[in-house]
Amino acid sequence: MTNGGATAMRNRGRVALVASALMMTTALAPFVLVTPAQAQQAGHNRIDGQYEFDIPAQSLTSALAQFGVQSGLQVTVDGALVRGLEGRAVTGTMRADTALEVLLGGSGLNYDVTGDGTVVIEALQTGAAADGEVLDPVRVEANAANFSDPSDAITDSFVANRSRTASKTDTPVLDDSAAVSVVTEKEMETRNVQDLQQAVAYTAGVQSGEYGSDVRYDYVRIRGFYQSSLGAYRDGLPSRIYNFTNSRPETYGLQQVDVLKGSTSSLFGLNGPGGLVNMTTKRPEDEASGEVFTTFGENHLRGGGDVTGPVAEDSNWTYRLTGLWQDAELSQDYSKDDRLYLAPAFTYKPKAGTELTILTSYSERDSGLGYGFPTGIETSRDAFFGEPDFNNFDTEETNLGYEFSHLITDKLEFRQNARYTHVDLNYETVYLQDTAPLGDRYAFAIYGELDRFAIDNQVQYDTAINDTFDSKTLVGIDFNRDQNREKRYDGSASPIDPYNPSYCGPSCIDLDFTSDTEITQAAYGVYAQEQLTIADDWIATVGGRFDYIQSDTDTISSGTTDERDDHKFTSRFGLTYKATNEVSVYGNYSESFQPVYSSLASRPEGVEPQEGTQYEIGVKYQPEAFDALFTAALFDLTQENVSQWNSSTSTYKQIGEINSRGLELEGKMSLDAQTNMTLAYTYLDAEIKDDVTAANIGNSPANVPEHQASAWLDYTIPGQGVFGDLTLGGGVRFVGERQRNDGNTETLGGYSLFDAAINYAVTDSVSLAVNATNLTDREYVSSNTFGSRYYGDGRTVLATLKYSW
């Protein structure tokens, strides 16, 4: 959401909040929506008239209110009938009665029209309205130009009310029997996040940036388990990393990031037990808007823009074009972070209930590599021990995908998401070895190519059974195929004095061809899920999935092939109790399934998939009085068959078992148009239950902190006269002590990092923002792995000048 529409959005949000609050407090009485436009049009607008509708899927209460605004018709309904029900999306020009039938589909409700043209919503079965009982109406006034459901203003708030990630259906966060955290576009823009690690850094249960200045990938742990290999999703489809070849996502191209915590295989297939991160790409919007910006800092220059709107007046097509260019360096000597990103997108809505969105993108990133510092070296954290001309992690990524949905009947919907991805990698590096003699260097190169195809087909059937049950049934079939080919070279480079480095160029690098390997994995999945709402207060979620995985590792250079087939059924059971309209309590059991696909020859004892189970209970509170969401979760996670390297026999063993129990507390608030706040705390009691090294049993896993916490607050001082709005923000991120290794022989100290933001609205369209991360330039060790220390990023200050319309 660009700044040009911020004021209007805030106004719409206020009106929607007032309307919702009045409706909820009169749940046993009918309501009537009347606008000034309707007062003038009474008796003129007809149920069989043609109108332009743009009503997203949302609560039926708000959907009916929008229907009344957009058609100019007066709508009356018993509030008890619609409480807890969901209205379907209605988009396009159509008769009002057609739109109303779509809107009420699957709700168990019907409508009648009185002699004066009032639309009366009534139950299909007998009820108060059918018996002729008339209750005192509640009259809610709204301006047709400003009214909008709060979910429409999600990008102008830190709080997301709904998410498709936890259940693959459009479900309120309050109703889901799982812990899901949503980072909205508004939050990402306010903090000016530069990568996915920064986007999720203020999320409970998440540990990000484990390898500090290493910028090859986004390193994320969820509930103590490393999720970056399998747990990255884009628009609901996986973006798995099989070896080295992969590209980092551009966060400027995202409108939302969802973190689903816990075992998720019953819906998403092969995955680790900790959870997943689902990134939602920016999509075309019906209202024209845009922005252009430039960001500058020390050795940092960035420019970009984002425009969206209808292709032409009265067109069924809308578009969005997002672009970014960057020429930058990181703090480490001889580093770089150059980017080019271009993402055209189009949405076609030929009629109500049918929608096709085409999502494409091209991304080019030229990066250096962050390095670990071997034990015994005490020097600047920005020191460079490689070769400037052989220090590349360059990727080129192309994506072509689409999302299609079609409402077959008022109760049955078909959806299909698909994407093809191609990635090229050029990875070249020289680094210090972590043992004596000090100064000896290794050389290493990977030239990779990745082709990925993913498709997910879903059928959703919504219906009401009597007056007691509401059923939402989901059945899906998905297919994913990844083919990753990499040529590897290993060698050495001339020794270097780490305290007085002198570089010798490519001529002193000696590389030998090591291997040519192709990893191909095809995954077939069939899943089903039932969400059954009982008497409006209980929501039972039951799901199951069967996966069949074919994994082939072809070592082309040696002519050997490792083939493996895995299959697994995973399940999920969840129950939510809506104690009030604001409070829900839930519990769930879920499972994870993570096949092992590589290095099969070194596993003589046989290979089994790594399996996980989770038990979780939690409570969610979403107050009606203000825009906020508070959550608490207690969980117990166990993963078995964990693969571990046995150095004494040079083979893998699968006797590892890790248990992670903990507590997560999180709050997100947009208290008014001026104040946003996030709070998060995580307690983790992680323990190694079984290990190839018996002495490790009972220890804490490496790099998993027992305590983490974060807080962010920003406040806008309204402008006066010639002075515009001034927003001041700041945050703190705390990571507690961790163990350096599974043997727990060394403890890494905890650290606190401070961030800050200032944004000044020069005019309604022009803003100037300054964002700082690690404001105090704290020097800290983010991890100490493989015999090397990895330092976290130092202070970064960036200024952004933006023009929006």
Side-chain angles (χ1 to χ4, degrees):
M1 176 66 60
T2 56
N3 287 341
T7 302
M9 267 303 194
R10 286 196 293 267
N11 291 336
R12 290 198 292 268
R14 293 192 193 103
V15 174
L17 184 60
V18 173
S20 298
L22 288 173
M23 292 173 188
M24 289 298 185
T25 56
T26 57
L28 297 179
F31 72 82
V32 179
L33 180 73
V34 178
T35 70
Q38 288 173 327
Q40 297 173 7
Q41 295 172 354
H44 298 285
N45 287 14
R46 296 167 52 89
I47 192 68
D48 59 354
Q50 292 273 346
Y51 306 99
E52 178 70 26
F53 292 99
D54 184 14
I55 306 174
Q58 57 192 291
S59 69
L60 190 53
T61 300
S62 298
L64 287 171
Q66 284 201 1
F67 170 84
V69 170
Q70 295 178 20
S71 65
L73 293 166
Q74 182 171 290
V75 181
T76 302
V77 63
D78 183 344
L81 291 178
V82 296
R83 180 163 55 91
L85 297 181
E86 301 296 311
R88 294 183 179 276
V90 180
T91 305
T93 301
M94 68 191 78
R95 287 165 50 117
D97 52 0
T98 302
L100 197 54
E101 289 170 2
V102 174
L103 198 67
L104 297 175
S107 66
L109 303 178
N110 203 347
Y111 71 91
D112 196 7
V113 182
T114 64
D116 64 356
T118 298
V119 177
V120 180
I121 307 299
E122 55 191 18
L124 291 173
Q125 308 297 323
T126 59
D131 293 338
E133 180 183 355
V134 179
L135 302 177
D136 294 334
V138 175
R139 191 171 299 271
V140 180
E141 294 188 1
N143 188 305
N146 290 332
F147 183 87
S148 174
D149 185 77
S151 62
D152 287 348
I154 186 172
T155 53
D156 202 40
S157 170
F158 274 37
V159 184
N161 300 319
R162 315 178 73 85
S163 171
R164 277 192 176 271
T165 300
S167 62
K168 287 194 175 181
T169 63
D170 184 23
T171 302
V173 174
L174 206 63
D175 294 356
D176 264 319
S177 58
V180 57
S181 298
V182 180
V183 184
T184 66
E185 185 178 358
K186 174 65 175 179
E187 182 177 350
M188 289 189 286
E189 180 184 17
T190 300
R191 293 196 281 111
N192 192 25
V193 301
Q194 301 295 298
D195 54 49
L196 183 63
Q197 295 179 149
Q198 290 185 5
V200 299
Y202 283 82
T203 302
V206 175
Q207 178 185 356
S208 65
E210 184 172 329
Y211 289 96
S213 58
D214 186 342
V215 296
R216 294 174 298 168
Y217 312 103
D218 292 297
Y219 299 98
V220 176
R221 283 183 186 264
I222 305 176
R223 293 185 170 175
F225 292 93
Y226 184 63
Q227 295 299 126
S228 296
S229 297
L230 297 179
Y233 283 71
R234 184 72 175 261
D235 300 317
L237 299 173
S239 298
R240 299 177 178 126
I241 303 176
Y242 288 89
N243 212 10
F244 290 98
T245 305
N246 203 64
S247 179
R248 300 179 78 183
E250 178 52 63
T251 50
Y252 184 65
L254 305 178
Q255 69 180 33
Q256 183 168 301
V257 176
D258 293 23
V259 181
L260 176 58
K261 304 164 193 176
S263 303
T264 60
S265 291
S266 64
L267 271 181
F268 293 92
L270 59 157
N271 220 323
L276 60 85
V277 178
N278 183 35
M279 298 163 280
T280 302
T281 305
K282 287 180 176 178
R283 285 154 166 69
E285 298 179 357
D286 294 332
E287 183 180 348
S289 63
E291 67 179 31
V292 291
F293 74 93
T294 182
T295 298
F296 46 93
E298 184 179 2
N299 299 318
H300 187 108
L301 181 61
R302 190 184 208 195
D306 181 23
V307 291
T308 187
V311 171
E313 188 175 355
D314 299 326
S315 174
N316 291 330
W317 287 87
T318 53
Y319 77 97
R320 190 159 192 168
L321 180 61
T322 307
L324 178 144
W325 168 88
Q326 178 171 299
D327 183 2
E329 298 177 7
L330 301 174
S331 60
Q332 193 172 42
D333 296 342
Y334 299 102
S335 65
K336 58 182 176 180
D337 186 15
D338 300 339
R339 309 182 194 180
L340 177 64
Y341 177 78
L342 188 65
F346 298 91
T347 294
Y348 176 53
K349 301 177 183 178
K351 60 179 181 179
T354 301
E355 183 174 323
L356 172 68
T357 296
I358 301 171
L359 299 169
T360 69
S361 66
Y362 172 80
S363 176
E364 183 179 339
R365 298 177 70 115
D366 294 338
S367 304
L369 291 95
Y371 290 90
F373 286 57
T375 303
I377 296 179
E378 298 294 338
T379 185
S380 167
R381 58 182 166 178
D382 296 331
F384 178 71
F385 307 129
E387 286 296 326
D389 297 328
F390 200 77
N391 181 47
N392 304 300
F393 193 86
D394 301 341
T395 59
E396 187 176 5
E397 177 177 341
T398 304
N399 286 285
L400 177 60
Y402 66 85
E403 294 185 352
F404 173 75
S405 63
H406 175 62
L407 197 63
I408 301 171
T409 71
D410 62 344
K411 298 181 179 181
L412 185 65
E413 183 180 30
F414 171 75
R415 298 189 292 269
Q416 185 180 78
N417 301 346
R419 183 177 64 243
Y420 167 75
T421 301
H422 179 81
V423 179
D424 289 311
L425 170 68
N426 179 41
Y427 179 6
E428 300 170 327
T429 183
V430 170
Y431 59 97
L432 282 178
Q433 69 173 17
D434 54 17
T435 58
L438 189 64
D440 279 8
R441 298 189 295 173
Y442 291 118
F444 173 77
I446 291 282
Y447 303 101
E449 189 173 307
L450 168 68
D451 288 288
R452 172 186 295 132
F453 177 73
I455 187 169
D456 188 7
N457 305 279
Q458 304 171 14
V459 176
Q460 181 176 324
Y461 181 72
D462 297 352
T463 189
I465 306 171
N466 298 322
D467 292 328
T468 306
F469 301 100
D470 290 312
S471 171
K472 186 183 295 185
T473 305
L474 177 72
V475 177
I477 300 175
D478 63 23
F479 170 72
N480 303 279
R481 185 179 188 273
D482 292 74
Q483 187 174 45
N484 182 356
R485 183 172 182 177
E486 295 178 346
K487 294 182 179 181
R488 175 169 179 159
Y489 297 80
D490 288 276
S492 60
S494 299
I496 195 173
D497 180 358
Y499 299 103
N500 185 26
S502 177
Y503 310 112
C504 52
S507 62
C508 68
I509 301 172
D510 183 18
L511 283 177
D512 294 319
F513 173 73
T514 304
S515 63
D516 185 355
T517 304
E518 184 173 83
I519 299 172
T520 304
Q521 187 171 80
Y524 307 81
V526 180
Y527 58 90
Q529 177 183 263
E530 170 64 26
Q531 293 171 279
L532 186 65
T533 301
I534 307 168
D536 293 336
D537 296 328
W538 295 90
I539 305 169
T541 302
V542 180
R545 176 183 172 112
F546 180 79
D547 282 285
Y548 176 69
I549 315 295
Q550 294 176 311
S551 303
D552 297 338
T553 303
D554 297 328
T555 306
I556 300 170
S557 52
S558 64
T560 60
T561 300
D562 292 325
E563 298 180 352
R564 178 167 183 84
D565 295 344
D566 290 293
H567 55 85
K568 179 69 176 176
F569 178 81
T570 52
S571 60
R572 171 193 178 190
F573 303 92
L575 184 64
T576 299
Y577 173 60
K578 299 289 288 293
T580 70
N581 289 334
E582 300 177 312
V583 178
S584 67
V585 182
Y586 72 91
N588 77 58
Y589 166 83
S590 57
E591 298 174 335
S592 67
F593 163 63
Q594 185 176 345
V596 178
Y597 64 88
S598 64
S599 302
L600 304 185
S602 63
R603 304 171 191 266
E605 78 283 0
V607 184
E608 296 294 332
Q610 300 177 134
E611 299 178 3
T613 57
Q614 174 187 259
Y615 299 89
E616 178 180 343
I617 59 173
V619 61
K620 302 176 183 180
Y621 171 52
Q622 187 171 15
E624 296 177 350
F626 56 94
D627 190 16
L629 178 65
F630 302 93
T631 61
L634 284 168
F635 58 88
D636 190 317
L637 265 170
T638 301
Q639 187 180 37
E640 300 175 339
N641 297 332
V642 178
S643 298
Q644 295 179 312
W645 178 254
N646 189 335
S647 57
S648 62
T649 61
S650 297
T651 59
Y652 278 97
K653 296 289 185 180
Q654 280 197 293
I655 65 170
E657 180 179 333
I658 297 175
N659 175 256
S660 177
R661 297 178 297 175
L663 166 68
E664 294 166 353
L665 303 174
E666 185 172 275
K668 288 181 180 285
M669 294 149 275
S670 286
L671 301 178
D672 48 36
Q674 299 170 251
T675 309
N676 297 298
M677 181 185 296
T678 70
L679 300 169
Y681 169 74
T682 306
Y683 167 75
L684 271 181
D685 178 16
E687 182 180 350
I688 299 171
K689 293 294 187 178
D690 206 351
D691 196 277
V692 293
T693 303
N696 292 345
I697 298 175
N699 289 348
S700 297
N703 296 320
V704 178
E706 187 176 24
H707 299 281
Q708 281 184 263
S710 67
W712 174 273
L713 173 66
D714 65 76
Y715 178 76
T716 299
I717 304 171
Q720 298 289 335
V722 297
F723 297 102
D725 293 353
L726 177 64
T727 301
L728 304 175
V732 59
R733 295 171 281 138
F734 167 75
V735 177
E737 293 182 345
R738 298 94 65 221
Q739 296 300 320
R740 187 182 72 81
N741 52 36
D742 289 347
N744 293 184
T745 59
E746 181 182 345
T747 300
L748 301 178
Y751 56 87
S752 296
L753 305 177
F754 295 89
D755 306 322
I758 301 175
N759 187 303
Y760 177 65
V762 182
T763 70
D764 290 340
S765 302
V766 179
S767 65
L768 176 62
V770 179
N771 291 81
T773 56
N774 192 2
L775 184 63
T776 61
D777 201 24
R778 169 71 181 271
E779 183 174 302
Y780 65 99
V781 176
S782 56
S783 65
N784 194 332
T785 311
F786 307 115
S788 297
R789 301 187 313 277
Y790 288 83
Y791 285 101
D793 291 327
R795 178 173 50 232
T796 301
V797 180
L798 299 175
T800 300
L801 181 64
K802 181 183 296 184
Y803 174 73
S804 307
W805 64 90

